[in-house]
Amino acid sequence: MRYLTAGESHGPQLTTIIEGVPAQLELLAEDVNKDLARRQGGYGRGRRMQIEKDQVQILSGVRHGKTTGAPIALVVENKDWTHWTKIMGAEPIGEEAEKEVKRKLTRPRPGHADLNGAIKYGHRDMRNVLERSSARETTVRVAAGAVAKKILASFGIKVGGHVLEIGGVKAEHVTYESVEDLQTRSEASQVRCLDEEASVKMMEAIDAAKKDGDSIGGIVEVVVENVPIGLGSYVHYDRKLDAKLAAAVMSINAFKGVEIGIGFEAAHVPGSQVHDEIIWDEQKGYTRKTNRLGGFEGGMTTGMPIVVRGVMKPIPTLYKPLQSVDIDTKEPFEASIERSDSCAVPAASVVAESVVAWEIANALLEAFGHDQMETIQENVERHQSKAREF
Ligand SMILES: Cc1cc2nc3c(=O)[nH]c(=O)nc-3n(C[C@H](O)[C@H](O)[C@H](O)COP(=O)(O)O)c2cc1C
């Protein structure tokens, strides 16, 4: 499968075209809307999220609730567009009117794409950079991820995300019975954290940062359960699924690091406490005593739950200004806010779920076929029973 996204933060709409989704998959707008709403929630989001109540329109590739195998076009309208038609319209407005458009941006915000993007593409008005580099684009990545989750669900593969840390407050002793349990409990927390005490402290940390005009980041984790053995491959660098997951998570705006399984902790512990011993029983086939490697060996899935973590930096637009330079006057100034969240880590955990789901679904279809759900299901079942007895 592949997908492209298009759309600006204050343009008329965000669009994604997804190609390669098998036919006969049940897909409703509601399946996508659920995740769009989850992305917009979470303690610490700013005013923009109150303006936008995202709803998807499915414009092609789905008929009477089922995919046809044709490209799927998904669109999410920006409700705020009506206030931006002049500033963001596609038609020329003439030099005089352009002068009236007061929102020309010549002051790059540190931590954003503004300055590098302006120099790269030759934009004297950095709105041309801001509008596309904004994390608003993750809306349609979540929409594509919802389609991927729907594919995975047909094979009993579940994807759940939660928050492990915000602004130095860590979730302690996090355990869960299953991804379903993880999902239910993270959904019940305003910061998507399974540790209730830590949730309260995280919200306090967000309040404190907001009061201080600052922002805070954190760590999110995505778990995928029931994955067949052998997705991805060891044969070539660009077939390694763990590498694809790392790239997918790193591609989320503001993500600065990715770990799989125990990740960076592997640097401090001996091999005997890193690798997962192999066991076999008739019912489950090959499994592991532990899952310290987070479901991967040799760029392929081991059948154990996939565990991926990503670290999000504090979001860069601060009410407490940071120093920058106006590109017209070259004078220093203190970067002021456009409109900003103080913490978007809970929302980012939903985006992380989506990009991970996409990579796993893609690897699954690569291994078991693309055309129609029933054939793929038969292929997966055959593979599972062969792997059990291997
Ligand atoms: C869900 C989500 C919401 C975000 N909201 C904001 C925001 O309100 N203000 C902001 O300055 N950055 C926000 N960001 C982060 C910026 O989009 C990001 O830092 C910027 O595009 C620069 O990219 P980089 O940090 O990956 O280098 C958000 C990121 C995510 C994932």
Side-chain angles (χ1 to χ4, degrees), residues 313-326:
K313 73 179 184 185
I315 50 185
T317 309
L318 306 179
Y319 287 85
K320 180 193 263 178
L322 294 175
Q323 199 195 306
S324 182
V325 175
D326 189 299

Side-chain angles (χ1 to χ4, degrees), residues 326-349:
D326 189 299
I327 60 164
D328 280 354
T329 64
K330 308 289 187 288
E331 292 293 325
F333 75 99
E334 304 228 299
S336 60
I337 61 142
E338 169 99 338
R339 181 157 53 193
S340 189
D341 304 336
S342 44
C343 175
V345 176
S349 77

Side-chain angles (χ1 to χ4, degrees), residues 206-240:
I206 294 169
D207 289 340
K210 197 171 178 181
K211 204 164 152 223
D212 208 22
D214 223 323
S215 61
I216 46 179
I219 298 176
V220 305
E221 181 176 88
V222 180
V223 183
V224 191
E225 172 188 83
N226 238 346
V227 186
I229 295 178
L231 299 189
S233 176
Y234 61 92
V235 302
H236 212 218
Y237 67 91
D238 60 356
R239 293 192 180 278
K240 294 183 186 220

